[in-house]
PDB file of all heavy atoms in Angstrom:
ATOM      1  N   SER D 774      -1.017   1.842  -2.923  1.00  0.00           N
ATOM      2  CA  SER D 774       0.414   1.665  -2.579  1.00  0.00           C
ATOM      3  C   SER D 774       0.646   2.066  -1.110  1.00  0.00           C
ATOM      4  O   SER D 774       0.400   3.180  -0.737  1.00  0.00           O
ATOM      5  CB  SER D 774       1.230   2.529  -3.515  1.00  0.00           C
ATOM      6  OG  SER D 774       2.634   2.470  -3.167  1.00  0.00           O
ATOM      7  N   LEU D 775       1.081   1.097  -0.324  1.00  0.00           N
ATOM      8  CA  LEU D 775       1.272   1.334   1.085  1.00  0.00           C
ATOM      9  C   LEU D 775       2.610   2.093   1.273  1.00  0.00           C
ATOM     10  O   LEU D 775       3.634   1.736   0.708  1.00  0.00           O
ATOM     11  CB  LEU D 775       1.377  -0.028   1.807  1.00  0.00           C
ATOM     12  CG  LEU D 775       1.642   0.063   3.360  1.00  0.00           C
ATOM     13  CD1 LEU D 775       0.440   0.744   4.081  1.00  0.00           C
ATOM     14  CD2 LEU D 775       1.903  -1.293   3.898  1.00  0.00           C
ATOM     15  N   ARG D 776       2.560   3.151   2.106  1.00  0.00           N
ATOM     16  CA  ARG D 776       3.775   3.917   2.474  1.00  0.00           C
ATOM     17  C   ARG D 776       3.980   3.719   3.981  1.00  0.00           C
ATOM     18  O   ARG D 776       2.997   3.847   4.771  1.00  0.00           O
ATOM     19  CB  ARG D 776       3.645   5.344   2.114  1.00  0.00           C
ATOM     20  CG  ARG D 776       3.389   5.583   0.632  1.00  0.00           C
ATOM     21  CD  ARG D 776       4.509   5.016  -0.218  1.00  0.00           C
ATOM     22  NE  ARG D 776       4.205   5.106  -1.652  1.00  0.00           N
ATOM     23  CZ  ARG D 776       4.715   5.969  -2.491  1.00  0.00           C
ATOM     24  NH1 ARG D 776       5.534   6.872  -2.038  1.00  0.00           N
ATOM     25  NH2 ARG D 776       4.440   5.945  -3.782  1.00  0.00           N
ATOM     26  N   ASP D 777       5.245   3.457   4.373  1.00  0.00           N
ATOM     27  CA  ASP D 777       5.467   3.223   5.820  1.00  0.00           C
ATOM     28  C   ASP D 777       5.500   4.538   6.612  1.00  0.00           C
ATOM     29  O   ASP D 777       5.143   5.607   6.110  1.00  0.00           O
ATOM     30  CB  ASP D 777       6.805   2.429   5.987  1.00  0.00           C
ATOM     31  CG  ASP D 777       8.031   3.238   5.530  1.00  0.00           C
ATOM     32  OD1 ASP D 777       7.972   4.498   5.429  1.00  0.00           O
ATOM     33  OD2 ASP D 777       9.070   2.625   5.266  1.00  0.00           O
ATOM     34  N   ASP D 778       5.853   4.429   7.887  1.00  0.00           N
ATOM     35  CA  ASP D 778       5.778   5.644   8.756  1.00  0.00           C
ATOM     36  C   ASP D 778       6.823   6.652   8.480  1.00  0.00           C
ATOM     37  O   ASP D 778       6.894   7.722   9.039  1.00  0.00           O
ATOM     38  CB  ASP D 778       5.797   5.250  10.240  1.00  0.00           C
ATOM     39  CG  ASP D 778       6.928   4.244  10.602  1.00  0.00           C
ATOM     40  OD1 ASP D 778       7.667   3.886   9.673  1.00  0.00           O
ATOM     41  OD2 ASP D 778       6.968   3.853  11.745  1.00  0.00           O
ATOM     42  N   PHE D 779       7.737   6.341   7.500  1.00  0.00           N
ATOM     43  CA  PHE D 779       8.673   7.345   6.963  1.00  0.00           C
ATOM     44  C   PHE D 779       8.216   7.847   5.614  1.00  0.00           C
ATOM     45  O   PHE D 779       8.950   8.596   4.973  1.00  0.00           O
ATOM     46  CB  PHE D 779      10.096   6.738   6.874  1.00  0.00           C
ATOM     47  CG  PHE D 779      10.690   6.355   8.199  1.00  0.00           C
ATOM     48  CD1 PHE D 779      10.700   5.029   8.631  1.00  0.00           C
ATOM     49  CD2 PHE D 779      11.233   7.328   9.054  1.00  0.00           C
ATOM     50  CE1 PHE D 779      11.269   4.698   9.858  1.00  0.00           C
ATOM     51  CE2 PHE D 779      11.755   6.994  10.269  1.00  0.00           C
ATOM     52  CZ  PHE D 779      11.815   5.677  10.653  1.00  0.00           C
ATOM     53  N   GLY D 780       7.050   7.407   5.133  1.00  0.00           N
ATOM     54  CA  GLY D 780       6.560   7.846   3.872  1.00  0.00           C
ATOM     55  C   GLY D 780       7.131   7.095   2.725  1.00  0.00           C
ATOM     56  O   GLY D 780       7.000   7.468   1.507  1.00  0.00           O
ATOM     57  N   GLN D 781       7.914   6.068   2.954  1.00  0.00           N
ATOM     58  CA  GLN D 781       8.681   5.355   1.911  1.00  0.00           C
ATOM     59  C   GLN D 781       7.908   4.214   1.306  1.00  0.00           C
ATOM     60  O   GLN D 781       7.051   3.606   1.958  1.00  0.00           O
ATOM     61  CB  GLN D 781      10.039   4.883   2.478  1.00  0.00           C
ATOM     62  CG  GLN D 781      10.900   6.003   2.973  1.00  0.00           C
ATOM     63  CD  GLN D 781      12.229   5.523   3.567  1.00  0.00           C
ATOM     64  OE1 GLN D 781      12.289   4.372   4.067  1.00  0.00           O
ATOM     65  NE2 GLN D 781      13.211   6.350   3.613  1.00  0.00           N
ATOM     66  N   TRP D 782       8.250   3.927   0.067  1.00  0.00           N
ATOM     67  CA  TRP D 782       7.630   2.836  -0.705  1.00  0.00           C
ATOM     68  C   TRP D 782       8.624   1.661  -0.806  1.00  0.00           C
ATOM     69  O   TRP D 782       9.726   1.830  -1.235  1.00  0.00           O
ATOM     70  CB  TRP D 782       7.259   3.336  -2.125  1.00  0.00           C
ATOM     71  CG  TRP D 782       6.753   2.281  -3.045  1.00  0.00           C
ATOM     72  CD1 TRP D 782       5.572   1.554  -2.915  1.00  0.00           C
ATOM     73  CD2 TRP D 782       7.314   1.880  -4.263  1.00  0.00           C
ATOM     74  NE1 TRP D 782       5.434   0.722  -3.998  1.00  0.00           N
ATOM     75  CE2 TRP D 782       6.483   0.867  -4.824  1.00  0.00           C
ATOM     76  CE3 TRP D 782       8.451   2.269  -4.984  1.00  0.00           C
ATOM     77  CZ2 TRP D 782       6.729   0.272  -6.069  1.00  0.00           C
ATOM     78  CZ3 TRP D 782       8.731   1.640  -6.181  1.00  0.00           C
ATOM     79  CH2 TRP D 782       7.877   0.667  -6.707  1.00  0.00           C
ATOM     80  N   ASP D 783       8.149   0.487  -0.432  1.00  0.00           N
ATOM     81  CA  ASP D 783       8.912  -0.758  -0.562  1.00  0.00           C
ATOM     82  C   ASP D 783       8.196  -1.607  -1.561  1.00  0.00           C
ATOM     83  O   ASP D 783       7.148  -2.174  -1.190  1.00  0.00           O
ATOM     84  CB  ASP D 783       9.092  -1.402   0.791  1.00  0.00           C
ATOM     85  CG  ASP D 783       9.982  -2.624   0.718  1.00  0.00           C
ATOM     86  OD1 ASP D 783      10.326  -3.108  -0.414  1.00  0.00           O
ATOM     87  OD2 ASP D 783      10.334  -3.174   1.769  1.00  0.00           O
ATOM     88  N   PRO D 784       8.718  -1.813  -2.773  1.00  0.00           N
ATOM     89  CA  PRO D 784       7.990  -2.688  -3.734  1.00  0.00           C
ATOM     90  C   PRO D 784       7.788  -4.089  -3.269  1.00  0.00           C
ATOM     91  O   PRO D 784       6.896  -4.802  -3.769  1.00  0.00           O
ATOM     92  CB  PRO D 784       8.917  -2.593  -4.962  1.00  0.00           C
ATOM     93  CG  PRO D 784      10.279  -2.120  -4.490  1.00  0.00           C
ATOM     94  CD  PRO D 784       9.956  -1.270  -3.307  1.00  0.00           C
ATOM     95  N   ARG D 785       8.582  -4.564  -2.250  1.00  0.00           N
ATOM     96  CA  ARG D 785       8.416  -5.951  -1.805  1.00  0.00           C
ATOM     97  C   ARG D 785       7.258  -6.079  -0.799  1.00  0.00           C
ATOM     98  O   ARG D 785       6.875  -7.234  -0.473  1.00  0.00           O
ATOM     99  CB  ARG D 785       9.725  -6.371  -1.104  1.00  0.00           C
ATOM    100  CG  ARG D 785      10.917  -6.493  -2.024  1.00  0.00           C
ATOM    101  CD  ARG D 785      12.203  -6.650  -1.248  1.00  0.00           C
ATOM    102  NE  ARG D 785      12.474  -5.483  -0.373  1.00  0.00           N
ATOM    103  CZ  ARG D 785      13.558  -5.432   0.354  1.00  0.00           C
ATOM    104  NH1 ARG D 785      14.465  -6.332   0.398  1.00  0.00           N
ATOM    105  NH2 ARG D 785      13.704  -4.345   1.149  1.00  0.00           N
ATOM    106  N   ARG D 786       6.703  -4.986  -0.372  1.00  0.00           N
ATOM    107  CA  ARG D 786       5.557  -5.008   0.580  1.00  0.00           C
ATOM    108  C   ARG D 786       4.231  -4.722  -0.076  1.00  0.00           C
ATOM    109  O   ARG D 786       3.254  -4.466   0.608  1.00  0.00           O
ATOM    110  CB  ARG D 786       5.811  -3.996   1.720  1.00  0.00           C
ATOM    111  CG  ARG D 786       6.974  -4.273   2.637  1.00  0.00           C
ATOM    112  CD  ARG D 786       6.957  -3.317   3.756  1.00  0.00           C
ATOM    113  NE  ARG D 786       5.761  -3.403   4.595  1.00  0.00           N
ATOM    114  CZ  ARG D 786       5.276  -2.355   5.299  1.00  0.00           C
ATOM    115  NH1 ARG D 786       5.807  -1.180   5.231  1.00  0.00           N
ATOM    116  NH2 ARG D 786       4.160  -2.564   6.029  1.00  0.00           N
ATOM    117  N   GLN D 787       4.177  -4.794  -1.365  1.00  0.00           N
ATOM    118  CA  GLN D 787       2.953  -4.491  -2.019  1.00  0.00           C
ATOM    119  C   GLN D 787       1.907  -5.630  -1.811  1.00  0.00           C
ATOM    120  O   GLN D 787       2.267  -6.796  -1.693  1.00  0.00           O
ATOM    121  CB  GLN D 787       3.166  -4.333  -3.547  1.00  0.00           C
ATOM    122  CG  GLN D 787       4.048  -3.142  -3.870  1.00  0.00           C
ATOM    123  CD  GLN D 787       3.933  -2.743  -5.304  1.00  0.00           C
ATOM    124  OE1 GLN D 787       3.079  -2.033  -5.742  1.00  0.00           O
ATOM    125  NE2 GLN D 787       4.887  -3.320  -6.075  1.00  0.00           N
ATOM    126  N   ARG D 788       0.656  -5.196  -1.746  1.00  0.00           N
ATOM    127  CA  ARG D 788      -0.412  -6.103  -1.444  1.00  0.00           C
ATOM    128  C   ARG D 788      -1.095  -6.623  -2.720  1.00  0.00           C
ATOM    129  O   ARG D 788      -1.187  -5.911  -3.736  1.00  0.00           O
ATOM    130  CB  ARG D 788      -1.497  -5.425  -0.599  1.00  0.00           C
ATOM    131  CG  ARG D 788      -0.960  -4.957   0.747  1.00  0.00           C
ATOM    132  CD  ARG D 788      -1.879  -3.897   1.345  1.00  0.00           C
ATOM    133  NE  ARG D 788      -1.499  -3.655   2.747  1.00  0.00           N
ATOM    134  CZ  ARG D 788      -2.029  -2.669   3.464  1.00  0.00           C
ATOM    135  NH1 ARG D 788      -2.991  -1.902   2.935  1.00  0.00           N
ATOM    136  NH2 ARG D 788      -1.676  -2.499   4.733  1.00  0.00           N
ATOM    137  N   PRO D 789      -1.543  -7.879  -2.731  1.00  0.00           N
ATOM    138  CA  PRO D 789      -2.259  -8.383  -3.934  1.00  0.00           C
ATOM    139  C   PRO D 789      -3.537  -7.671  -4.129  1.00  0.00           C
ATOM    140  O   PRO D 789      -4.191  -7.164  -3.146  1.00  0.00           O
ATOM    141  CB  PRO D 789      -2.481  -9.843  -3.575  1.00  0.00           C
ATOM    142  CG  PRO D 789      -2.443  -9.911  -2.065  1.00  0.00           C
ATOM    143  CD  PRO D 789      -1.452  -8.890  -1.676  1.00  0.00           C
ATOM    144  N   GLU D 790      -3.935  -7.508  -5.386  1.00  0.00           N
ATOM    145  CA  GLU D 790      -5.211  -6.835  -5.755  1.00  0.00           C
ATOM    146  C   GLU D 790      -5.996  -7.692  -6.742  1.00  0.00           C
ATOM    147  O   GLU D 790      -6.409  -7.191  -7.766  1.00  0.00           O
ATOM    148  CB  GLU D 790      -4.925  -5.402  -6.300  1.00  0.00           C
ATOM    149  CG  GLU D 790      -4.305  -4.525  -5.276  1.00  0.00           C
ATOM    150  CD  GLU D 790      -3.928  -3.124  -5.785  1.00  0.00           C
ATOM    151  OE1 GLU D 790      -3.853  -2.963  -7.006  1.00  0.00           O
ATOM    152  OE2 GLU D 790      -3.749  -2.204  -4.957  1.00  0.00           O
ATOM    153  N   LEU D 791      -6.168  -8.922  -6.410  1.00  0.00           N
ATOM    154  CA  LEU D 791      -6.931  -9.845  -7.258  1.00  0.00           C
ATOM    155  C   LEU D 791      -8.433  -9.456  -7.306  1.00  0.00           C
ATOM    156  O   LEU D 791      -8.982  -9.059  -6.302  1.00  0.00           O
ATOM    157  CB  LEU D 791      -6.764 -11.305  -6.718  1.00  0.00           C
ATOM    158  CG  LEU D 791      -5.375 -11.796  -6.576  1.00  0.00           C
ATOM    159  CD1 LEU D 791      -5.373 -13.176  -5.948  1.00  0.00           C
ATOM    160  CD2 LEU D 791      -4.640 -11.784  -7.901  1.00  0.00           C
ATOM    161  N   TRP D 792      -8.976  -9.594  -8.495  1.00  0.00           N
ATOM    162  CA  TRP D 792     -10.408  -9.301  -8.720  1.00  0.00           C
ATOM    163  C   TRP D 792     -10.842  -7.919  -8.296  1.00  0.00           C
ATOM    164  O   TRP D 792     -11.956  -7.665  -7.804  1.00  0.00           O
ATOM    165  CB  TRP D 792     -11.294 -10.322  -7.959  1.00  0.00           C
ATOM    166  CG  TRP D 792     -10.923 -11.736  -8.349  1.00  0.00           C
ATOM    167  CD1 TRP D 792     -11.074 -12.340  -9.549  1.00  0.00           C
ATOM    168  CD2 TRP D 792     -10.314 -12.751  -7.507  1.00  0.00           C
ATOM    169  NE1 TRP D 792     -10.619 -13.627  -9.526  1.00  0.00           N
ATOM    170  CE2 TRP D 792     -10.120 -13.888  -8.299  1.00  0.00           C
ATOM    171  CE3 TRP D 792      -9.902 -12.702  -6.185  1.00  0.00           C
ATOM    172  CZ2 TRP D 792      -9.534 -15.048  -7.750  1.00  0.00           C
ATOM    173  CZ3 TRP D 792      -9.301 -13.843  -5.670  1.00  0.00           C
ATOM    174  CH2 TRP D 792      -9.179 -15.011  -6.457  1.00  0.00           C
ATOM    175  N   ASP D 793      -9.907  -6.979  -8.370  1.00  0.00           N
ATOM    176  CA  ASP D 793     -10.130  -5.541  -8.020  1.00  0.00           C
ATOM    177  C   ASP D 793     -10.609  -5.402  -6.549  1.00  0.00           C
ATOM    178  O   ASP D 793     -11.403  -4.515  -6.269  1.00  0.00           O
ATOM    179  CB  ASP D 793     -11.200  -4.987  -8.977  1.00  0.00           C
ATOM    180  CG  ASP D 793     -10.672  -4.829 -10.401  1.00  0.00           C
ATOM    181  OD1 ASP D 793      -9.469  -4.783 -10.581  1.00  0.00           O
ATOM    182  OD2 ASP D 793     -11.521  -4.854 -11.324  1.00  0.00           O
ATOM    183  N   LEU D 794     -10.095  -6.247  -5.683  1.00  0.00           N
ATOM    184  CA  LEU D 794     -10.319  -6.142  -4.281  1.00  0.00           C
ATOM    185  C   LEU D 794      -9.133  -5.393  -3.643  1.00  0.00           C
ATOM    186  O   LEU D 794      -7.975  -5.829  -3.804  1.00  0.00           O
ATOM    187  CB  LEU D 794     -10.491  -7.490  -3.629  1.00  0.00           C
ATOM    188  CG  LEU D 794     -11.746  -8.322  -4.092  1.00  0.00           C
ATOM    189  CD1 LEU D 794     -11.726  -9.684  -3.482  1.00  0.00           C
ATOM    190  CD2 LEU D 794     -13.043  -7.563  -3.774  1.00  0.00           C
ATOM    191  N   TYR D 795      -9.397  -4.309  -2.952  1.00  0.00           N
ATOM    192  CA  TYR D 795      -8.341  -3.446  -2.459  1.00  0.00           C
ATOM    193  C   TYR D 795      -8.291  -3.421  -0.917  1.00  0.00           C
ATOM    194  O   TYR D 795      -9.334  -3.340  -0.262  1.00  0.00           O
ATOM    195  CB  TYR D 795      -8.557  -2.042  -2.967  1.00  0.00           C
ATOM    196  CG  TYR D 795      -8.625  -1.932  -4.438  1.00  0.00           C
ATOM    197  CD1 TYR D 795      -9.838  -1.688  -5.118  1.00  0.00           C
ATOM    198  CD2 TYR D 795      -7.469  -2.185  -5.218  1.00  0.00           C
ATOM    199  CE1 TYR D 795      -9.850  -1.615  -6.495  1.00  0.00           C
ATOM    200  CE2 TYR D 795      -7.558  -2.155  -6.621  1.00  0.00           C
ATOM    201  CZ  TYR D 795      -8.746  -1.847  -7.254  1.00  0.00           C
ATOM    202  OH  TYR D 795      -8.766  -1.830  -8.611  1.00  0.00           O
ATOM    203  N   ASN D 796      -7.074  -3.548  -0.413  1.00  0.00           N
ATOM    204  CA  ASN D 796      -6.879  -3.511   1.054  1.00  0.00           C
ATOM    205  C   ASN D 796      -6.413  -2.063   1.418  1.00  0.00           C
ATOM    206  O   ASN D 796      -5.227  -1.716   1.120  1.00  0.00           O
ATOM    207  CB  ASN D 796      -5.839  -4.539   1.421  1.00  0.00           C
ATOM    208  CG  ASN D 796      -5.558  -4.625   2.943  1.00  0.00           C
ATOM    209  OD1 ASN D 796      -6.067  -3.745   3.706  1.00  0.00           O
ATOM    210  ND2 ASN D 796      -4.726  -5.554   3.355  1.00  0.00           N
ATOM    211  N   ALA D 797      -7.258  -1.326   2.055  1.00  0.00           N
ATOM    212  CA  ALA D 797      -6.973   0.063   2.394  1.00  0.00           C
ATOM    213  C   ALA D 797      -6.590   0.239   3.867  1.00  0.00           C
ATOM    214  O   ALA D 797      -6.529   1.371   4.377  1.00  0.00           O
ATOM    215  CB  ALA D 797      -8.143   0.963   2.027  1.00  0.00           C
ATOM    216  N   ARG D 798      -6.304  -0.847   4.521  1.00  0.00           N
ATOM    217  CA  ARG D 798      -5.967  -0.717   5.985  1.00  0.00           C
ATOM    218  C   ARG D 798      -4.504  -0.257   6.117  1.00  0.00           C
ATOM    219  O   ARG D 798      -3.629  -0.611   5.322  1.00  0.00           O
ATOM    220  CB  ARG D 798      -6.118  -2.062   6.658  1.00  0.00           C
ATOM    221  CG  ARG D 798      -7.604  -2.496   6.794  1.00  0.00           C
ATOM    222  CD  ARG D 798      -7.660  -3.901   7.426  1.00  0.00           C
ATOM    223  NE  ARG D 798      -7.106  -4.897   6.543  1.00  0.00           N
ATOM    224  CZ  ARG D 798      -7.055  -6.210   6.848  1.00  0.00           C
ATOM    225  NH1 ARG D 798      -7.446  -6.642   8.004  1.00  0.00           N
ATOM    226  NH2 ARG D 798      -6.542  -7.048   5.982  1.00  0.00           N
ATOM    227  N   VAL D 799      -4.335   0.601   7.126  1.00  0.00           N
ATOM    228  CA  VAL D 799      -2.980   1.033   7.464  1.00  0.00           C
ATOM    229  C   VAL D 799      -2.759   1.017   8.950  1.00  0.00           C
ATOM    230  O   VAL D 799      -3.723   1.108   9.719  1.00  0.00           O
ATOM    231  CB  VAL D 799      -2.726   2.493   6.953  1.00  0.00           C
ATOM    232  CG1 VAL D 799      -2.797   2.568   5.454  1.00  0.00           C
ATOM    233  CG2 VAL D 799      -3.690   3.492   7.604  1.00  0.00           C
ATOM    234  N   ARG D 800      -1.485   0.839   9.358  1.00  0.00           N
ATOM    235  CA  ARG D 800      -1.165   0.891  10.797  1.00  0.00           C
ATOM    236  C   ARG D 800      -0.863   2.362  11.178  1.00  0.00           C
ATOM    237  O   ARG D 800      -0.665   3.189  10.269  1.00  0.00           O
ATOM    238  CB  ARG D 800       0.109   0.067  11.061  1.00  0.00           C
ATOM    239  CG  ARG D 800      -0.072  -1.437  10.775  1.00  0.00           C
ATOM    240  CD  ARG D 800       1.156  -2.153  11.214  1.00  0.00           C
ATOM    241  NE  ARG D 800       0.969  -3.595  11.019  1.00  0.00           N
ATOM    242  CZ  ARG D 800       1.751  -4.357  10.212  1.00  0.00           C
ATOM    243  NH1 ARG D 800       2.769  -3.769   9.598  1.00  0.00           N
ATOM    244  NH2 ARG D 800       1.584  -5.629  10.090  1.00  0.00           N
ATOM    245  N   PRO D 801      -0.868   2.687  12.474  1.00  0.00           N
ATOM    246  CA  PRO D 801      -0.539   4.012  12.894  1.00  0.00           C
ATOM    247  C   PRO D 801       0.743   4.550  12.295  1.00  0.00           C
ATOM    248  O   PRO D 801       1.805   3.810  12.327  1.00  0.00           O
ATOM    249  CB  PRO D 801      -0.445   3.911  14.414  1.00  0.00           C
ATOM    250  CG  PRO D 801      -1.346   2.778  14.730  1.00  0.00           C
ATOM    251  CD  PRO D 801      -1.208   1.793  13.587  1.00  0.00           C
ATOM    252  N   GLY D 802       0.730   5.694  11.681  1.00  0.00           N
ATOM    253  CA  GLY D 802       1.902   6.306  11.064  1.00  0.00           C
ATOM    254  C   GLY D 802       2.009   5.993   9.573  1.00  0.00           C
ATOM    255  O   GLY D 802       2.698   6.727   8.824  1.00  0.00           O
ATOM    256  N   GLU D 803       1.414   4.918   9.109  1.00  0.00           N
ATOM    257  CA  GLU D 803       1.456   4.584   7.699  1.00  0.00           C
ATOM    258  C   GLU D 803       0.371   5.398   6.956  1.00  0.00           C
ATOM    259  O   GLU D 803      -0.567   5.933   7.532  1.00  0.00           O
ATOM    260  CB  GLU D 803       1.224   3.111   7.465  1.00  0.00           C
ATOM    261  CG  GLU D 803       2.281   2.165   8.065  1.00  0.00           C
ATOM    262  CD  GLU D 803       1.917   0.688   7.872  1.00  0.00           C
ATOM    263  OE1 GLU D 803       0.709   0.410   7.680  1.00  0.00           O
ATOM    264  OE2 GLU D 803       2.888  -0.109   7.937  1.00  0.00           O
ATOM    265  N   HIS D 804       0.496   5.389   5.631  1.00  0.00           N
ATOM    266  CA  HIS D 804      -0.601   5.988   4.799  1.00  0.00           C
ATOM    267  C   HIS D 804      -0.548   5.295   3.438  1.00  0.00           C
ATOM    268  O   HIS D 804       0.368   4.565   3.099  1.00  0.00           O
ATOM    269  CB  HIS D 804      -0.491   7.441   4.684  1.00  0.00           C
ATOM    270  CG  HIS D 804       0.662   7.929   3.863  1.00  0.00           C
ATOM    271  ND1 HIS D 804       1.953   8.143   4.368  1.00  0.00           N
ATOM    272  CD2 HIS D 804       0.752   8.314   2.525  1.00  0.00           C
ATOM    273  CE1 HIS D 804       2.771   8.587   3.365  1.00  0.00           C
ATOM    274  NE2 HIS D 804       2.062   8.720   2.259  1.00  0.00           N
ATOM    275  N   LEU D 805      -1.598   5.568   2.680  1.00  0.00           N
ATOM    276  CA  LEU D 805      -1.742   4.989   1.311  1.00  0.00           C
ATOM    277  C   LEU D 805      -1.548   6.057   0.273  1.00  0.00           C
ATOM    278  O   LEU D 805      -1.899   7.230   0.474  1.00  0.00           O
ATOM    279  CB  LEU D 805      -3.128   4.385   1.131  1.00  0.00           C
ATOM    280  CG  LEU D 805      -3.523   3.154   1.968  1.00  0.00           C
ATOM    281  CD1 LEU D 805      -4.990   2.845   1.696  1.00  0.00           C
ATOM    282  CD2 LEU D 805      -2.634   1.989   1.628  1.00  0.00           C
ATOM    283  N   ARG D 806      -1.003   5.645  -0.867  1.00  0.00           N
ATOM    284  CA  ARG D 806      -1.096   6.413  -2.100  1.00  0.00           C
ATOM    285  C   ARG D 806      -2.035   5.629  -2.999  1.00  0.00           C
ATOM    286  O   ARG D 806      -1.806   4.462  -3.220  1.00  0.00           O
ATOM    287  CB  ARG D 806       0.241   6.624  -2.743  1.00  0.00           C
ATOM    288  CG  ARG D 806       1.313   7.201  -1.837  1.00  0.00           C
ATOM    289  CD  ARG D 806       1.169   8.682  -1.637  1.00  0.00           C
ATOM    290  NE  ARG D 806       2.123   9.184  -0.633  1.00  0.00           N
ATOM    291  CZ  ARG D 806       3.363   9.556  -0.938  1.00  0.00           C
ATOM    292  NH1 ARG D 806       3.798   9.492  -2.197  1.00  0.00           N
ATOM    293  NH2 ARG D 806       4.142   9.999   0.013  1.00  0.00           N
ATOM    294  N   ALA D 807      -3.096   6.249  -3.447  1.00  0.00           N
ATOM    295  CA  ALA D 807      -4.084   5.573  -4.274  1.00  0.00           C
ATOM    296  C   ALA D 807      -4.011   6.169  -5.701  1.00  0.00           C
ATOM    297  O   ALA D 807      -4.051   7.376  -5.871  1.00  0.00           O
ATOM    298  CB  ALA D 807      -5.500   5.744  -3.680  1.00  0.00           C
ATOM    299  N   PHE D 808      -3.933   5.293  -6.697  1.00  0.00           N
ATOM    300  CA  PHE D 808      -3.818   5.716  -8.079  1.00  0.00           C
ATOM    301  C   PHE D 808      -4.993   5.189  -8.924  1.00  0.00           C
ATOM    302  O   PHE D 808      -4.893   4.178  -9.581  1.00  0.00           O
ATOM    303  CB  PHE D 808      -2.489   5.232  -8.633  1.00  0.00           C
ATOM    304  CG  PHE D 808      -1.302   5.699  -7.834  1.00  0.00           C
ATOM    305  CD1 PHE D 808      -0.574   4.731  -7.070  1.00  0.00           C
ATOM    306  CD2 PHE D 808      -0.952   7.019  -7.785  1.00  0.00           C
ATOM    307  CE1 PHE D 808       0.552   5.155  -6.281  1.00  0.00           C
ATOM    308  CE2 PHE D 808       0.157   7.411  -6.992  1.00  0.00           C
ATOM    309  CZ  PHE D 808       0.929   6.505  -6.287  1.00  0.00           C
ATOM    310  N   PRO D 809      -6.090   5.935  -8.910  1.00  0.00           N
ATOM    311  CA  PRO D 809      -7.309   5.462  -9.589  1.00  0.00           C
ATOM    312  C   PRO D 809      -7.208   5.339 -11.129  1.00  0.00           C
ATOM    313  O   PRO D 809      -7.937   4.514 -11.706  1.00  0.00           O
ATOM    314  CB  PRO D 809      -8.362   6.472  -9.212  1.00  0.00           C
ATOM    315  CG  PRO D 809      -7.874   7.170  -7.985  1.00  0.00           C
ATOM    316  CD  PRO D 809      -6.364   7.171  -8.149  1.00  0.00           C
ATOM    317  N   ILE D 810      -6.300   6.053 -11.700  1.00  0.00           N
ATOM    318  CA  ILE D 810      -6.170   5.953 -13.200  1.00  0.00           C
ATOM    319  C   ILE D 810      -4.896   5.226 -13.557  1.00  0.00           C
ATOM    320  O   ILE D 810      -4.318   5.442 -14.667  1.00  0.00           O
ATOM    321  CB  ILE D 810      -6.241   7.333 -13.895  1.00  0.00           C
ATOM    322  CG1 ILE D 810      -5.090   8.268 -13.438  1.00  0.00           C
ATOM    323  CG2 ILE D 810      -7.598   7.997 -13.583  1.00  0.00           C
ATOM    324  CD1 ILE D 810      -4.982   9.566 -14.225  1.00  0.00           C
TER     325      ILE D 810
END
């Protein structure tokens, strides 16, 4: 789950995760929340 540089979550900015392929890239100031379970 991508979080912006204010730490906020926007459900409209979610990335596709087809075939269990994950995009872990972030821009400066952004971060990820990862939910393995």
Side-chain angles (χ1 to χ4, degrees):
S774 177
L775 179 67
R776 302 302 172 103
D777 64 20
D778 47 2
F779 294 102
Q781 297 176 339
W782 174 64
D783 184 350
R785 296 169 298 181
R786 293 186 63 208
Q787 295 196 86
R788 296 162 171 174
E790 294 178 342
L791 304 176
W792 306 293
D793 295 334
L794 296 175
Y795 303 110
N796 182 353
R798 289 177 295 179
V799 297
R800 296 188 179 118
E803 297 177 337
H804 70 276
L805 293 175
R806 305 285 174 87
F808 304 111
I810 62 172

